[in-house]
Amino acid sequence: MEVEVSSRNIKFLECLSSLTRVKMIELLGIQPMNIKSLSEALDIKSPIVTRHIHMLEEAGIVRCESVAGKRGMQKICHLHLTQTMLLFKSSPVKDEAKRYEVSLPVGHYSSYQIKPTCGLASDTQMIGMCDDPRYFADPEHVQAKVIWFGSGFVEYRIPNYMVNNEMPESLEISMEICSDTPCSVNHLPSDISFVINGVGVGVWTYPGDFGSARGLYTPEWWHKNIQHGLIKTIRVNKQGSFIDGILVSAVTIDELMLAYDKEILFRISSSTAAKNCGGVTLFGKGFGNYNQDIEVTLRCQ
């Protein structure tokens, strides 16, 4: 999200002027929470938390939904905005017609090379057996809503809808991801690498020992150790490559060699040569906390 500094953005800026609201943003960046949990974590009363959350909602930083709890309905708060940019110098509004969006189900990989532990599941059942890589070639893999592997990679072919007179300005890819422990008891950190068109754009280290709480969208039949992951957003532009707004490499959009007549190859991998090889788990719609697939946005000039 790009925010041009002006009077209409006062509400957004006011949200960042409160230490309490900043702490709320940090907590929700780890996992969604209800009002009671936020109240306990911050040691402040629930009505005060509710007022702060209302301000964050109005600013578009947080989104909330009401879900059934043990004692009636409860409000679950999610971090909606993961990064932002303040523009102190005004610039022309971008032509929205030059933004191309694609949603890829996690089971729609085009290539893979993986080792156990591993597995796939649709929203209703396992696809094949745990720890048998052969099922990654099963035709049913396109129905997968969650996949995991101990080491290796999965690769996706992203359709490219640029026309031949356009120049790519930025490529953004967002997904819910963690390390691979659904069928094991180890909660390991993992160095997860992201490669676009054969170019390594960055590595993110999943911290491990996280995600055991019940996923908001995870089906009732799923009783594995891992329930959800974290949203990670990769963005490559003219300035470099970023993960959640943090610069992770100097690779720019020009180095990806995007062309209107070529699809985009996106690879997610966990190498046995990495310091932390804890594998990868990808959650799609119907699993985890965010109910989304792999979301891709390509912006062009």
Side-chain angles (χ1 to χ4, degrees), residues 63-126:
R63 65 177 177 86
C64 298
E65 60 179 346
S66 295
V67 300
K70 293 181 179 179
R71 299 181 180 178
M73 301 300 289
Q74 61 175 321
K75 178 179 281 190
I76 302 295
C77 307
H78 305 259
L79 185 63
H80 179 66
L81 182 63
T82 58
Q83 59 181 305
T84 188
M85 180 184 296
L86 296 176
L87 301 179
F88 292 99
K89 183 178 180 180
S90 61
S91 57
V93 176
K94 295 184 184 298
D95 182 3
E96 291 299 317
K98 295 183 179 179
R99 183 176 69 181
Y100 304 101
E101 297 179 339
V102 178
S103 182
L104 288 175
V106 298
H108 281 227
Y109 49 82
S110 58
S111 178
Y112 71 93
Q113 188 175 67
I114 54 99
K115 292 183 178 179
T117 67
C118 61
L120 314 89
S122 69
D123 52 0
T124 58
Q125 63 185 356
M126 292 288 296

Side-chain angles (χ1 to χ4, degrees), residues 17 33-34 61 77 99 162 176 188 195 202:
S17 67
M33 299 175 71
N34 60 25
I61 298 173
C77 307
R99 183 176 69 181
M162 292 167 52
E176 185 173 355
L188 301 174
V195 179

